[in-house]
Amino acid sequence: MDPTESETACFEAGIKFGTLYHQFAGTPVSPDSATSLERAMAEAIENQPHCVDVSVDILESELESALADQSADYAELTGRFMEVEMVVEYEGTHVEASMTMEGDYPMMRVDRVE
């Protein structure tokens, strides 16, 4: 059985989240560079087919809190420091997906399929 358009659209969202997270995890980030990194991440993922919108929010309060506990001026980017929302459209199917932390794990989920 071939996947449905909705299943394919959800798969596309998953691919984009995997790319976003694993491409940028470990990137040095500071409060001064957070905005430019957010923009770079969103624009990079929006280049991929079927991706129509990406919003990356680096949680500067979480970042500043982590930096207070160490001597470096930056931290390595992890899911702990970001929230992401994404819209994928495939063959008329609209998928909204997001990433937030669940405990210590960055959970990526499909929020809506139309």
Side-chain angles (χ1 to χ4, degrees):
M1 170 192 292
D2 290 336
T4 66
E5 288 178 5
S6 293
E7 290 168 335
T8 302
C10 290
F11 175 79
E12 287 291 335
I15 292 297
K16 277 119 184 83
F17 264 114
T19 300
L20 181 141
Y21 190 83
H22 293 291
Q23 179 177 351
F24 290 99
T27 299
V29 62
S30 70
D32 291 339
S33 67
T35 301
S36 63
L37 183 56
E38 290 170 342
R39 210 170 30 254
M41 292 171 71
E43 290 176 4
I45 301 308
E46 286 173 347
N47 284 323
Q48 294 186 26
H50 314 297
C51 189
V52 297
D53 189 41
V54 177
S55 170
V56 177
D57 182 21
I58 295 178
L59 306 172
E60 291 185 41
S61 61
E62 288 288 326
L63 183 58
E64 289 170 355
S65 177
L67 292 175
D69 296 337
Q70 63 187 36
S71 60
D73 293 334
Y74 71 92
E76 292 182 6
L77 186 65
T78 67
R80 171 183 170 198
F81 300 122
M82 63 180 155
E83 292 178 348
V84 181
E85 295 178 351
M86 182 179 305
V87 176
V88 169
E89 292 182 357
Y90 177 82
E91 301 292 323
T93 299
H94 177 92
V95 174
E96 296 175 8
S98 63
M99 183 190 83
T100 57
M101 291 298 289
E102 265 189 30
D104 291 335
Y105 187 78
M107 182 62 72
M108 300 160 203
R109 65 174 35 91
V110 173
D111 297 314
R112 185 178 185 146
V113 179
E114 296 177 338

